[in-house]
């Protein structure tokens, strides 16, 4: 694995005395595409939110780019981490253009041209038709909204992209197109992606490594090929059967 860009070291997290993650350790390499799959409620979203400081571990340490994030300015940290979630969370009262331009316009306050160039680039990257730019989110299909959400999460040119079931709510054909798009984005931009999914086919297709979680933590983490060929437990075996 390349040098780790994200490290969990001995992290424990509980809600109301119920431990979700116990002494959890994981290294994610720079430029890796890590997919995470596991039973419902096992702590995938909790894990993701500890990377951008939306949640804080009870004990243990999360490092991002070598820095202990409990000692880092979280605003600066989040500027470098894109976050895309199911349901997208677009601003409903802003056009697509404004939604995508939101972050670049904060970064380039004095330079509108730079923002316009950033929007044009992002629209191209996610494969959105430019004719949609003046529409409002409610006037788009689910797949188009998803693309806008991805464009927005890439807008600050982050080195890390966190994706929490981003393609959960779209039909199978659109989902496949979005999967191809995110693989291309990963290849072309070299961004590190941590991607939660409920779909084992998606996890195996996208991930350079796949992490399988169950209640209590990690069950197996390996390349898709090794997960398929050498499932570590019955849980993993069941998950990959017929795939
Ligand atoms: N703020 C909270 N307070 C109390 N319990 C919580 C809180 N947030 C999450 N939980 C519980 O912690 C567990 C892990 O939640 P989390 O959202 O990380 O799971 P997940 O693996 O992402 O689940 P899913 O696959 O269903 O989205 C769940 O049992 C959930 O009910």
């Amino acid at each position: 694995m390349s040098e780790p860009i994200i490290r969990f070291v001995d992290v424990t997290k509980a809600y109301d005395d119920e431990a979700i993650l116990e002494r959890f350790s994981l290294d994610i390499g720079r430029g890796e595409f890590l997919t995470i799959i596991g039973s419902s409620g096992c702590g995938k979203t909790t894990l993701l939110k500890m990377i951008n400081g939306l949640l804080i571990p009870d004990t243990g340490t999360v490092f991002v780019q070598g820095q202990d994030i409990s000692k880092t300015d979280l605003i600066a940290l989040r500027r470098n981490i894109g976050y895309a979630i199911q349901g997208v969370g677009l601003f409903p009262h802003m056009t697509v253009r404004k939604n995508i331009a939101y972050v670049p316009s904060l970064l380039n306050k004095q330079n509108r041209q730079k923002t316009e160039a950033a929007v044009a680039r992002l629209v191209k990257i996610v494969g959105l038709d430019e004719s949609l730019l003046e529409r409002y989110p409610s006037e788009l299909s689910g797949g188009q909204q998803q693309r806008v959400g991805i464009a927005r999460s890439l807008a600050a040119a982050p080195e890390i992209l966190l994706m929490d079931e981003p393609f959960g709510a779209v039909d199978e054909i659109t989902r496949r197109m979005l999967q191809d798009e995110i693989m291309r984005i990963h290849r072309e931009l070299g961004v590190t992606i941590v991607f939660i999914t409920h779909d084992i086919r998606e996890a195996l297709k996208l991930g350079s490594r796949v992490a399988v979680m169950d209640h209590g933590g990690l069950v197996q983490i390996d390349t898709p090929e090794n997960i398929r060929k050498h499932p570590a437990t019955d849980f993993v075996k069941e998950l990959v059967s017929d795939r």
Side-chain angles (χ1 to χ4, degrees):
M1 190 179 64
S2 55
E3 153 218 4
I5 187 167
I6 300 165
R7 304 197 72 184
F8 286 80
V9 180
D10 249 351
V11 167
T12 296
K13 178 76 188 168
Y15 295 111
D16 310 323
D17 292 340
E18 193 194 338
I20 303 299
L21 296 170
E22 261 183 292
R23 307 209 60 177
F24 180 91
S25 293
L26 171 67
D27 283 359
I28 302 174
R30 188 177 290 280
E32 186 167 5
F33 195 143
L34 180 72
T35 52
I36 302 179
I37 187 159
S39 42
S40 181
C42 69
K44 302 180 292 297
T45 298
T46 300
L47 182 95
L48 209 65
K49 285 183 172 172
M50 285 197 279
I51 299 173
N52 61 5
L54 285 175
L55 288 172
I56 307 293
D58 299 331
T59 60
T61 315
V62 180
F63 296 92
V64 173
Q65 297 183 310
Q67 299 228 32
D68 173 349
I69 68 163
S70 70
K71 297 181 178 133
T72 310
D73 171 11
L74 287 182
I75 308 256
L77 174 81
R78 286 184 200 138
R79 208 168 279 151
N80 195 25
I81 302 181
Y83 189 37
I85 53 174
Q86 183 176 346
V88 193
L90 298 177
F91 303 123
H93 58 290
M94 287 185 194
T95 60
V96 167
R97 182 190 298 282
K98 289 235 167 91
N99 262 284
I100 299 175
Y102 186 73
V103 174
S105 64
L106 291 178
L107 297 175
N108 315 317
K109 273 198 180 114
Q110 313 302 338
N111 190 340
R112 263 188 65 191
Q113 263 181 344
K114 207 167 164 189
T115 296
E116 278 166 27
V119 171
R121 188 178 60 87
L122 289 162
V123 161
K124 216 167 174 186
I125 286 175
V126 300
L128 260 181
D129 197 306
E130 275 203 43
S131 65
L132 303 176
L133 282 175
E134 305 315 322
R135 290 204 200 164
Y136 288 87
S138 63
E139 298 167 337
L140 301 180
S141 73
Q144 289 164 341
Q145 289 183 26
Q146 221 72 75
R147 286 172 195 264
V148 178
I150 296 169
R152 207 180 56 175
S153 65
L154 290 170
E159 289 192 54
I160 298 169
L161 187 54
L162 307 179
M163 309 187 86
D164 196 344
E165 286 192 67
F167 310 150
V170 296
D171 62 87
E172 194 55 35
I173 294 170
T174 309
R175 175 188 272 252
R176 262 185 245 146
M177 286 168 68
L178 289 168
Q179 289 170 346
D180 293 341
E181 216 70 69
I182 199 68
M183 285 170 82
R184 191 176 53 74
I185 289 168
H186 176 249
R187 253 193 333 268
E188 287 179 7
L189 303 184
V191 58
T192 305
I193 301 181
V194 187
F195 185 109
I196 296 178
T197 176
H198 270 118
D199 177 348
I200 183 66
R201 279 172 304 170
E202 183 164 82
L204 294 168
K205 172 178 173 181
L206 299 182
S208 46
R209 276 197 308 166
V210 179
V212 182
M213 289 176 66
D214 198 2
H215 294 278
L218 264 183
V219 177
Q220 187 172 9
I221 179 163
D222 212 328
T223 59
E225 195 187 355
N226 282 340
I227 295 265
R228 258 200 211 97
K229 282 193 186 149
H230 311 290
T233 66
D234 287 346
F235 179 72
V236 185
K237 201 183 270 179
E238 180 69 22
L239 203 60
V240 297
S241 60
D242 317 321
R243 302 294 172 210

